[in-house]
């Protein structure tokens, strides 16, 4: 009888470590040290200017920056804030309809906030929401201090289908920022300054683009809160302008791919299963039986209760671990420094440093 009690007591002691188990701690694999420190970025913030500010007028906003964030904006004089929806990675769009109680005027400041991983960045709209005479004091600034576009060219393509490239060149104020918008495509893209006052880059046509040969293309040059806009006066199909036929005379070109990225980290996350009543109940029964074999009298009753409670907890934890599973998170970095986390139920097979493209939330090897 003594031997039996010693055996049962040893089994109870062996089961005690199960009570302190943790099952939801993420296990980091190939984690990149910079991934957690990346602050969100706003690369562009635009509005479709309107002629009048009156009830019912729609103000359409576009914001470009770090993908996977939460974007909102505030208009001075408005009675409510606007939440922007992420329509594609890093592109946020929204429409504010002016109400009867709004007091928005041409000089109202518009502030955008982009939150990613508990970090927030802010950007003030650099243009007026009203075009024409309703603009703010920009019209009073001297022309000598305004950024300017001296020339805007394109080297077209024989085909405007997905994967083909259009090369744009802007010459104007040095040390500024130049953004280009093409009718039939979503969002804007930026031209890097390849020489002082010369901005050049390639745009790769995406699958969802619908660009016509005569599509309107605008270039905006920005410098210290001021800007000027120019419209392309050439067709986008090759052969109509003679631009760029001699490759030896072409300036250096920075290729621009809107969905190209590099794998920064591959995280393995342990996800626990929920303990069911079956596992909890079975553990309580076994624990109660073990406790009943210890001591006598009131001591035996206390041991039985303690064994049932401990057994229930141990049974739940054992079943949670039995149902535990792993999932994977791949962190990618875009060319502009933005990052995005893409979840997978199974090992996707990517490694840190792999070059990929992001298509509808799925990674494709580049």
């Amino acid at each position: 009888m003594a031997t039996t009690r010693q055996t049962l007591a040893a089994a109870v002691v062996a089961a005690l470590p199960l009570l302190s188990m943790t099952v939801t701690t993420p296990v980091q694999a190939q984690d990149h040290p910079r991934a957690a420190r990346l602050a969100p970025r706003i690369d562009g913030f635009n509005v479709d200017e309107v002629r009048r500010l009156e009830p019912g007028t729609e103000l359409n906003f576009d914001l470009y920056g770090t993908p996977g964030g939460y974007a909102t904006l505030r208009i001075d004089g408005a009675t409510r804030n606007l939440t922007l929806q992420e329509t594609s990675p890093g592109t946020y769009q929204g429409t504010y309809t002016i109400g009867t109680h709004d007091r928005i005027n041409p000089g109202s400041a518009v502030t955008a906030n982009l939150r990613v991983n508990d970090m927030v960045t802010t950007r003030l709209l650099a243009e007026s929401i009203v075009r024409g005479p309703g603009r703010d004091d920009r019209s009073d600034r001297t022309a000598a201090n305004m950024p300017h576009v001296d020339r805007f060219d394109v080297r077209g393509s024989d085909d405007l289908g997905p994967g083909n490239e259009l090369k744009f060149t802007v010459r104007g104020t040095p040390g500024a920022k130049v953004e280009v918008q093409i009718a039939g495509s979503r969002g804007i893209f930026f031209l890097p300054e390849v020489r002082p006052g010369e901005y050049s880059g390639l745009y790769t046509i995406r699958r969802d683009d619908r660009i016509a040969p005569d599509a309107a293309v605008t270039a905006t040059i920005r410098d210290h809160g001021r800007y000027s806009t120019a419209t392309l006066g050439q067709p986008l199909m090759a052969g109509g302008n003679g631009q760029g036929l001699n490759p030896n005379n072409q300036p250096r070109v920075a290729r621009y791919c809107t969905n190209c990225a590099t794998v920064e980290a591959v995280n393995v996350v342990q996800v626990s299963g929920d303990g069911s009543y079956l596992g909890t109940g079975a553990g309580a029964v076994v624990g109660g039986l073990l406790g009943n074999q210890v001591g006598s009298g009131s001591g035996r009753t206390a041991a039985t209760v303690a064994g049932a409670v401990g057994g229930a907890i141990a049974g739940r934890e054992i079943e949670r671990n039995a149902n535990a599973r792993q999932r994977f998170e791949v962190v990618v970095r875009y060319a502009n420094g933005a990052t995005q986390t893409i979840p997978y139920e199974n090992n996707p097979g990517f490694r840190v440093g792999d070059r990929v493209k992001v298509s509808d939330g799925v990674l494709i090897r580049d």
Side-chain angles (χ1 to χ4, degrees):
M1 187 64 178
T3 302
T4 302
R5 289 183 177 178
Q6 292 175 353
T7 302
L8 293 175
V12 172
V13 173
L16 290 178
L18 295 174
L19 302 179
S20 60
M21 293 177 63
T22 57
V23 295
T24 58
T25 302
V27 179
Q28 300 295 330
Q30 304 179 7
D31 197 6
H32 196 282
R34 292 184 299 169
R37 300 199 303 267
L38 292 174
R41 293 176 49 185
I42 295 179
D43 299 318
F45 182 26
N46 304 319
V47 64
D48 292 340
E49 297 172 325
V50 297
R51 292 188 180 276
R52 292 183 299 275
L53 296 173
E54 58 188 12
T57 299
E58 294 184 344
L59 301 174
N60 299 308
F61 295 93
D62 299 303
L63 185 143
Y64 310 94
T66 304
Y70 178 71
T72 60
L73 62 83
R74 168 69 182 171
I75 309 171
D76 285 355
T79 57
R80 61 194 185 279
N81 294 339
L82 175 65
T83 300
L84 305 180
Q85 302 298 320
E86 188 172 18
T87 56
S88 62
T91 299
Y92 303 83
Q93 297 177 321
T95 300
Y96 186 92
T97 303
I98 299 178
T100 56
H101 298 290
D102 289 328
R103 298 295 181 264
I104 303 174
N105 59 68
S108 292
V110 184
T111 305
N113 293 321
L114 180 61
R115 177 183 296 274
V116 180
N117 296 329
D118 295 329
M119 293 183 288
V120 180
T121 188
T122 301
R123 180 80 170 264
L124 186 67
L125 186 67
E127 56 188 302
S128 174
I129 56 180
V130 176
R131 63 176 175 265
R135 291 185 184 273
D136 58 15
D137 62 354
R138 288 188 185 89
S139 59
D140 296 331
R141 295 168 179 158
T142 61
N145 293 329
M146 293 291 291
H148 56 88
V149 175
D150 298 326
R151 187 171 178 178
F152 184 20
D153 297 323
V154 64
R155 185 180 68 192
S157 173
D158 294 330
D159 185 357
L160 297 180
N164 290 284
E165 296 176 332
L166 300 169
K167 182 196 129 182
F168 295 95
T169 301
V170 170
R171 295 174 177 84
T173 302
K177 291 185 177 181
V178 175
E179 59 191 48
V180 175
Q181 185 171 18
I182 309 172
S185 68
R186 288 193 294 178
I188 61 174
F189 68 99
F190 297 86
L191 299 183
E193 189 172 18
V194 295
R195 297 190 183 96
E198 182 174 333
Y199 307 82
S200 186
L202 288 178
Y203 177 80
T204 303
I205 300 175
R206 296 172 292 185
R207 289 187 306 170
D208 56 349
D209 287 342
R210 298 294 182 267
I211 302 176
D214 58 349
V217 185
T218 58
T220 302
I221 185 167
R222 301 181 184 274
D223 185 37
H224 295 93
R226 306 170 187 176
Y227 71 96
S228 296
T229 301
T231 302
L232 184 67
Q234 304 167 217
L236 297 178
M237 293 290 288
N241 50 49
Q243 294 292 322
L245 296 180
N246 183 359
N248 295 326
N249 295 328
Q250 294 303 312
R252 292 178 289 114
V253 174
R255 294 181 176 269
Y256 185 89
C257 177
T258 57
N259 64 338
C260 293
T262 302
V263 175
E264 286 282 313
V266 180
N267 300 331
V268 182
V269 181
Q270 192 79 10
V271 181
S272 68
D274 292 331
S276 68
Y277 290 109
L278 179 60
T280 303
V285 171
V286 174
L289 292 175
L290 293 175
N292 192 52
Q293 300 298 321
V294 180
S296 62
S298 58
R300 172 177 295 177
T301 301
T304 301
V305 174
V309 174
I313 296 175
R316 184 176 67 247
E317 297 299 331
I318 291 172
E319 185 163 353
R320 280 184 177 176
N321 280 275
N323 296 331
R325 59 186 177 85
Q326 289 182 339
R327 66 181 179 89
F328 295 79
E329 294 179 347
V330 180
V331 180
V332 299
R333 181 199 290 271
Y334 291 90
N336 63 0
T339 62
Q340 183 177 4
T341 300
I342 300 173
Y344 284 89
E345 291 297 326
N346 300 307
N347 189 346
F350 293 105
R351 295 183 178 180
V352 172
D354 285 351
R355 298 181 61 83
V356 296
K357 289 184 177 180
V358 183
S359 177
D360 296 328
V362 178
L363 295 184
I364 303 174
R365 294 187 184 278
D366 192 1

